[in-house]
Amino acid sequence: MGGPVDLHTHTTASDGTLPPRALVDAAVRQGVRVLAVTDHDSTEGLGEAFDAARAHPLLTIVPGLEINCDVPGSEIHVLGYFPSADGWRAAWFQEFLREQRAERVARVHRIAERLAELGMPIDPDEVFAIVKEGSAGRPHVAQVMVKRGYVKTVREAFDRYLRADGPANVPRRRLTPVDAVRVIRRAGGIPVLAHPGLAGRDEMIPELVEAGLRGIEVYYAEHSPEQVASYLAQCREHDLVATGGSDHHGPQSGRTNPIGSPPVPMKVWEHLRDREAPTDGGPAASPAP
Ligand code: AMP
Ligand code: ZN
Ligand code: FE
Ligand code: FE
């Protein structure tokens, strides 16, 4: 049994291995009551997740997403939540996400070129066959590398070649973490810094706060107790909500954090929801279709 709140999960709309419906069912089995679906640069899984949740009246689905930004030598991920504002449906925001996904497709081609130079040719179409209509990413490239026998596991592909400063990684277009925070705010969402312990760029937190950051993902499986303590202190210093999530990617994803872990108390969700960000002068939330 996990905790009642999980604010970070992925589906087949990006690099998760569970379709949204299966993720929802698995979350309910784990005892999760508040589930944020946060695919990379995509809200395409939300419709099916809402649909599946209708069979589970005790479950709240929080519409969300995750935007990955490159910074020199590392990457920073920003989560966005839309607990009541439906600005994520706005045409301009969806257009922004389509551009982000197009950049991901172009990046897969660039990574394939790099892999060929390293003596590990892959066919980008093999990657896109796994992605289907979802948001392409390095985990899909890693799966093809495993299939070709270049590496034994997805993790090995990242550790040796695809990590931020790895020999086969190529940077994506210059969307800064500050830009990501701003675009989420402009759509009426609540921006939260994802797993800062993995990024190692804590010095950027003040400028993200300045841009409108509302929380830090403090409770995260790969954060040490010292990191949790440090991020809790930074949340107090900057008046941010300390959130948490599993970053679950489904079975066979090369990621092992179960849904609902580490356990996150219900009051974290209540605090975050109460920090609802008004739209920052962007187009008003569009009506539901
Ligand atoms: P991308 O979306 O192309 O930037 O790829 C980043 C995603 O790869 C992250 O959001 C994770 O889902 C996944 N990832 C990062 N590191 C690893 C790893 N060591 N093993 C498996 N997946 C990883
Ligand atoms: Zn992912
Ligand atoms: Fe992430
Ligand atoms: Fe994630």
Side-chain angles (χ1 to χ4, degrees):
M1 214 48 174
V5 176
D6 192 333
L7 295 175
H8 189 161
T9 61
H10 295 273
T11 77
T12 46
S14 64
D15 55 6
T17 60
L18 292 177
R21 181 172 298 281
L23 176 78
V24 166
D25 292 345
V28 168
R29 280 198 302 276
Q30 292 295 312
V32 169
R33 301 280 300 274
V34 177
L35 175 72
V37 178
T38 55
D39 278 306
H40 301 285
D41 293 319
S42 177
T43 57
E44 300 291 312
L46 295 177
E48 184 180 317
F50 284 129
D51 222 41
R54 276 196 256 155
H56 307 288
L58 295 181
L59 178 71
T60 298
I61 299 286
V62 183
L65 82 176
E66 183 176 24
I67 302 177
N68 296 8
C69 305
D70 289 330
V71 293
S74 186
E75 52 188 273
I76 290 192
H77 300 183
V78 181
L79 293 156
Y81 301 107
F82 297 83
S84 56
D86 67 354
W88 60 273
R89 296 184 196 267
W92 72 268
F93 189 67
Q94 288 300 324
E95 181 54 31
F96 162 76
L97 295 180
R98 270 193 296 277
E99 281 168 20
Q100 288 283 104
R101 294 196 293 272
E103 165 61 18
R104 284 174 166 275
V105 168
R107 184 170 177 235
V108 166
H109 286 283
R110 298 203 298 274
I111 291 175
E113 284 166 23
R114 193 66 68 85
L115 285 171
E117 286 161 21
L118 292 166
M120 294 177 286
I122 62 161
D123 180 351
D125 283 339
E126 255 185 276
V127 177
F128 302 130
I130 299 174
V131 179
K132 299 199 188 78
E133 68 278 15
S135 196
R138 283 171 292 166
H140 305 108
V141 173
Q143 286 172 50
V144 172
M145 291 175 72
V146 172
K147 229 165 84 186
R148 290 288 182 103
Y150 299 144
V151 288
K152 291 208 167 52
T153 62
V154 165
R155 184 154 288 271
E156 186 189 345
F158 271 91
D159 289 348
R160 291 181 64 188
Y161 302 109
L162 298 172
R163 61 174 198 276
D165 55 354
N169 187 36
V170 295
R172 67 193 101 219
R173 73 171 172 164
R174 298 249 70 85
L175 184 84
T176 68
V178 162
D179 295 334
V181 167
R182 288 204 179 118
V183 79
I184 290 165
R185 283 293 296 266
R186 194 150 75 87
I190 303 175
V192 169
L193 177 60
H195 46 65
L198 304 189
R201 289 292 188 278
D202 291 0
E203 67 277 10
M204 295 189 77
I205 290 174
E207 60 182 289
L208 298 178
V209 172
E210 183 75 16
L213 192 74
R214 290 295 202 224
I216 295 178
E217 187 177 54
V218 172
Y219 304 105
Y220 189 78
E222 288 161 67
H223 281 170
S224 68
E226 293 73 26
Q227 285 174 323
V228 169
S230 160
Y231 292 124
L232 278 177
Q234 294 183 68
C235 283
R236 278 193 295 274
E237 182 189 342
H238 297 292
D239 190 25
L240 299 170
V241 181
T243 74
S246 67
D247 207 358
H248 186 72
H249 280 73
Q252 276 100 47
S253 61
R255 314 283 302 263
T256 51
N257 311 338
I259 306 177
S261 75
V264 171
M266 197 53 110
K267 71 172 192 316
V268 165
W269 157 241
E270 289 161 0
H271 286 164
L272 190 72
R273 190 189 50 192
D274 295 345
R275 293 307 288 285
E276 180 89 52
T279 43
D280 283 359
S286 59

